[in-house]
């Protein structure tokens, strides 16, 4: 058996190289109706631009058909069609390569060198939960998602601020957000001395408000950074307070003194130049102006401030049918009540009152909230529908639907293991002994080709930050993971409803596939797909970005 992980990116790169010099032409098919005949396509218009009359030379077609290389999927055939040059893979061989080492597809490729150092700064976490606005909650969830994606890609991430409000850690834990906490403020003495040297004298010479040191002119440093970078042209002066210096001191500490618990080699770089670290401020649109002031003040007071500071500005959140003052805890309580109500309608009111389901309802509520907040690009405005009917177990576009299918998968695995112990199913055989040519159902290829195979590339894309690009702002693609999980759940649900994965007889091997018909024995199907608490329904998906362990199991 060939070794090494297959990659969509590697395959596309090799295909484009085989066509000769020019812009990329090939793309991966995703729609089921196209995948019946081809897996990759070079469209006819692009080929006409490349080869004039659109006729691809025979030597090029042969080169594509015989394509090999690290990470390149094995090719079955390549042929001209009315749509363009169509390519189909050796599907049994791809099944064998991927399913024989499926854990390798649950995470991005390990970086050749230690990943970048990134400080994620989320100013919203300096407030108390009771005053957290929906736009600020969105920024918190985006920052948490980005931290997980960056770490999965090998980056070393520090999270700022360490929360000090005594109620915030409990609220974050309720949302499954992992964020550090601290009880002490950072030392501001050095920055205070620098700020005092830059202060402008008070106009009337009167006493300043307690906690206010004075004002600093930012016009010079803003001109140095450049208006074209994206700073607000109205930025002029900054009111320097003890609280503002405390924020700067914490950021300064995070950049200069890196902990030694990251990837190998980072401990030695704890005192490295700040320019080797990027700072990403994840802010709500209401906080952007104040954050720009903070950036410029940091550059003015600290000659070692990192050169790479980017703003990821989250767009406004509008909630239809709710007061404009709706806070984050009130939003959670509303969604939790709606999840309980929807579950009671589906499974009965006794279920909603069962204490054993308390944790299940909490997980479903968090999944609903995270999908709502992350399934739209962070930079765009988000519209929430908060009516009673907006949370349903029947819809296919929500976190509830994804969690339901995760529970199906978890129960499927647990049901097999439990029944195997009872002797109802044989022990799962080695992957090398399976006949993958039996996987003929189009849903099986759809799950592998659109789900498992491109997952490492997806993780890399969600962790990509355009920090080298000019300008103040950067973007994130949190919606990519949400769309992926929804589509994967839809594909799995469709396949699960058509194919009896557990319970296929010898006579129906062809339909059930290699994994269901490994041995000629009449298998008994276990009870329903969504078992009650106590039957191991803990979802394998714990956040919008899955952990490698949970993704490997699913």
């Amino acid at each position: 058996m060939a070794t090494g992980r297959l990659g969509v990116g590697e395959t596309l790169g090799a295909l484009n190289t085989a066509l000769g010099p020019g812009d990329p032409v090939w793309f991966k098919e995703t729609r089921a109706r196209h995948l019946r005949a081809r897996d990759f396509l070079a469209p006819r218009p692009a080929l006409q631009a490349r080869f004039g009359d659109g006729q691809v030379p025979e030597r090029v077609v042969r080169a594509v058909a015989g394509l090999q290389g690290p990470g390149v999927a094995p090719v079955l055939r390549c042929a001209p069609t009315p749509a363009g040059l169509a390519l189909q893979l050796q599907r049994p061989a791809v099944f064998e390569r991927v399913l024989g080492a499926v854990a390798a597809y649950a995470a991005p490729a390990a970086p050749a060198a230690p990943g970048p150092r990134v400080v994620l700064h989320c100013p919203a976490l300096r407030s108390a939960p009771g005053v957290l606005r929906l736009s600020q909650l969105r920024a918190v969830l985006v920052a948490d998602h980005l931290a997980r994606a960056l770490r999965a890609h090998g980056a070393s991430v520090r999270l700022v601020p360490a929360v000090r409000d005594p109620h915030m850690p409990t609220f974050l834990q309720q949302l499954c957000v992992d964020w550090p906490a601290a009880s002490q403020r950072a030392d501001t003495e050095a920055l205070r001395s620098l700020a005092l040297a830059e202060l402008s004298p008070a106009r009337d010479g009167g006493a300043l408000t307690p906690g206010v040191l004075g004002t600093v002119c930012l016009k010079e440093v803003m001109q140095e950074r450049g208006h074209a970078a994206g700073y607000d042209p109205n930025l002029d002066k900054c009111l320097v307070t003890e609280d503002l210096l405390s924020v700067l001191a914490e950021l300064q500490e995070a950049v200069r003194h890196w902990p030694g618990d990251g990837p190998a080699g980072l401990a030695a770089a704890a005192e490295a130049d700040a320019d080797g670290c990027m700072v990403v401020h994840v802010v709500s649109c209401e906080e952007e102006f104040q954050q720009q002031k903070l950036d410029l003040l940091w550059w003015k007071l600290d000659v070692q401030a990192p050169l790479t500071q980017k703003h990821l500005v989250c767009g406004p959140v509008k909630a239809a049918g709710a007061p404009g003052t709706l806070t984050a805890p009130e939003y959670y309580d509303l969604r939790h009540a709606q999840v309980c109500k929807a579950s009671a309608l589906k499974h009965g009111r006794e279920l909603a009152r069962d204490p054993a389901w308390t944790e299940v309802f909490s997980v479903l509520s968090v999944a609903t909230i995270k999908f709502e907040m992350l399934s739209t690009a962070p930079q765009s405005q988000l519209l929430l529908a908060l009516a009673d009917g907006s949370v349903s177990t029947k819809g296919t576009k929500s976190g509830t639907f994804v969690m339901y299918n995760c529970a199906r998968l978890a129960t499927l695995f647990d049901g097999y293991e439990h029944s195997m112990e009872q002797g109802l199913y044989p022990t799962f055989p080695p992957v090398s002994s399976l006949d993958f040519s039996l996987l003929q159902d189009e849903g099986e290829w759809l799950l592998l080709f659109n789900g498992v195979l491109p997952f490492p590339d997806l993780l890399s894309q969600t962790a990509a930050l355009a920090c080298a690009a000019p300008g103040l702002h950067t973007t994130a693609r949190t919606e990519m993971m949400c769309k992926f999980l929804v589509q994967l759940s839809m594909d799995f649900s469709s396949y699960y409803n058509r194919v009896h994965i557990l319970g296929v007889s010898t006579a129906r091997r062809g339909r059930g596939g290699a994994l269901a018909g490994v041995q000629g024995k009449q298998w008994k199907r276990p009870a329903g797909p969504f078992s009650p608490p106590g039957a191991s329904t803990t979802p394998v998906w714990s956040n919008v970005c899955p952990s490698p362990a949970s993704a490997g199991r699913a």
Side-chain angles (χ1 to χ4, degrees):
M1 181 191 300
T3 58
R5 184 170 71 179
L6 301 179
V8 173
E10 290 86 343
T11 303
L12 285 171
L15 288 172
N16 285 307
T17 300
L19 286 184
D23 295 331
V25 170
W26 291 91
F27 69 89
K28 173 186 173 295
E29 292 286 10
T30 57
R31 296 180 180 274
R33 63 188 180 91
H34 291 151
L35 288 173
R36 296 186 186 110
R38 62 187 186 241
D39 299 316
F40 295 91
L41 179 71
R44 180 165 297 279
L47 293 176
Q48 290 174 338
R50 176 72 64 88
F51 297 104
D53 58 359
Q55 295 297 317
V56 182
E58 184 61 30
R59 58 177 177 77
V60 175
V61 176
R62 288 197 304 269
V64 171
L67 210 58
Q68 293 181 351
V72 178
V75 177
L76 175 64
R77 67 174 65 91
C78 177
T81 68
L85 198 58
L87 180 140
Q88 191 172 53
L89 300 178
Q90 298 178 26
R91 293 185 175 183
V94 175
F95 270 117
E96 184 176 8
R97 289 277 298 273
V98 174
L99 297 181
V102 71
Y105 295 85
R117 296 185 297 148
V118 182
V119 173
L120 286 179
H121 175 222
C122 186
L125 288 170
R126 291 192 171 86
S127 62
V131 298
L132 204 63
R133 298 187 298 271
L134 294 184
S135 56
Q136 293 177 305
L137 174 64
R138 187 186 193 186
V140 171
L141 296 180
V142 168
D144 176 65
H145 174 89
L146 192 57
R148 294 172 188 266
L150 287 167
R151 284 169 174 156
H153 199 57
S156 183
V157 180
R158 291 201 70 177
L159 303 176
V160 178
V163 297
R164 287 191 291 270
D165 183 272
H167 304 292
M168 186 61 83
T170 302
F171 181 65
L172 294 179
Q173 185 178 16
Q174 191 177 43
L175 292 173
C176 300
V177 172
D178 186 16
W179 205 274
S183 57
Q184 296 182 345
R185 295 165 67 94
D187 184 14
T188 62
E189 202 57 43
L191 281 172
R192 195 173 191 276
S193 300
L194 292 170
L196 289 174
E198 298 286 346
L199 292 179
S200 302
R203 291 181 180 177
D204 54 6
L208 295 170
T209 305
V212 176
L213 301 179
T215 59
V216 168
C217 181
L218 300 176
K219 189 170 293 185
E220 180 181 341
V221 68
M222 189 172 73
Q223 290 174 346
E224 180 183 332
R225 302 304 302 178
H227 288 284
Y231 286 95
D232 192 301
N234 296 314
L235 281 170
D236 183 7
K237 295 183 179 181
C238 176
L239 189 66
V240 181
T241 65
E242 295 286 359
D243 288 339
L244 195 60
L245 292 182
S246 178
V247 171
L248 280 181
E250 188 172 12
L251 285 167
Q252 192 180 63
E253 173 73 16
V255 169
R256 292 184 180 179
H257 303 100
W258 210 264
D261 57 357
L266 275 179
E271 299 290 339
D273 186 2
D275 289 349
C277 171
M278 64 181 73
V279 180
V280 180
H281 305 282
V282 185
V283 298
S284 65
C285 51
E286 298 92 343
E287 298 165 321
E288 181 183 12
F289 187 77
Q290 181 62 26
Q291 187 58 52
Q292 289 187 15
K293 283 186 177 182
L294 184 71
D295 281 13
L296 296 174
L297 182 63
W298 193 0
W299 276 314
K300 188 175 183 69
L301 300 183
D302 184 2
V303 294
Q304 295 183 358
L307 294 178
T308 305
Q309 289 192 61
K310 294 289 185 177
H311 288 217
L312 201 168
V313 182
C314 297
V317 179
K318 305 294 183 182
T325 57
L326 188 70
T327 65
E330 290 170 343
Y331 169 53
Y332 175 86
D333 292 340
L334 174 64
R335 282 302 188 220
H336 186 271
Q338 290 174 339
V339 164
C340 293
K341 182 178 179 179
S343 300
L345 291 174
K346 184 177 180 69
H347 301 288
R349 296 193 177 278
E350 294 76 13
L351 180 73
R353 291 191 289 267
D354 187 347
W357 280 83
T358 301
E359 182 180 356
V360 174
F361 292 148
S362 297
V363 171
L364 289 174
S365 302
V366 172
T368 299
I369 289 170
K370 287 189 173 183
F371 259 76
E372 285 184 325
M373 290 287 178
L374 300 178
S375 58
T376 300
Q379 305 77 235
S380 303
Q381 177 175 284
L382 175 61
L383 298 175
L384 297 179
L386 300 183
D388 279 347
S390 59
V391 172
S392 171
T393 58
K394 297 181 180 180
T396 59
K397 302 297 184 183
S398 68
T400 307
F401 175 70
V402 173
M403 296 300 290
Y404 176 73
N405 282 282
C406 283
R408 276 179 156 180
L409 274 170
T411 306
L412 185 66
F413 288 125
D414 292 339
Y416 168 74
E417 292 171 2
H418 179 68
S419 298
M420 183 183 65
E421 293 171 359
Q422 294 180 325
L424 296 176
Y425 301 156
T427 303
F428 200 88
V431 174
S432 58
S433 69
L434 300 178
D435 182 1
F436 287 97
S437 65
L438 294 175
L439 292 174
Q440 298 291 332
D441 189 284
E442 68 179 34
E444 293 157 352
W445 181 248
L446 203 65
L447 286 168
L448 183 111
F449 194 60
N450 286 344
V452 181
L453 191 62
F455 188 65
D457 290 340
L458 176 73
L459 284 180
S460 298
Q461 292 170 34
T462 58
L465 287 171
C467 289
L472 176 66
H473 297 96
T474 189
T475 58
R477 299 295 306 276
T478 62
E479 76 282 2
M480 292 178 63
M481 184 61 71
C482 295
K483 291 177 180 178
F484 170 83
L485 290 173
V486 167
Q487 188 59 54
L488 180 64
S489 298
M490 291 174 66
D491 291 341
F492 169 71
S493 181
S494 175
Y495 179 74
Y496 184 90
N497 291 333
R498 287 186 295 104
V499 178
H500 295 271
I501 299 173
L502 298 182
V504 180
S505 65
T506 307
R508 298 175 63 199
R509 272 177 159 193
R511 185 180 178 212
L515 303 185
V518 169
Q519 297 187 17
K521 179 175 180 180
Q522 179 67 46
W523 287 352
K524 211 178 175 183
R525 183 167 185 165
F530 196 66
S531 305
S536 189
T537 60
T538 303
V540 295
W541 177 85
S542 58
N543 192 58
V544 169
C545 182
S547 68
S550 66
R553 187 183 182 204

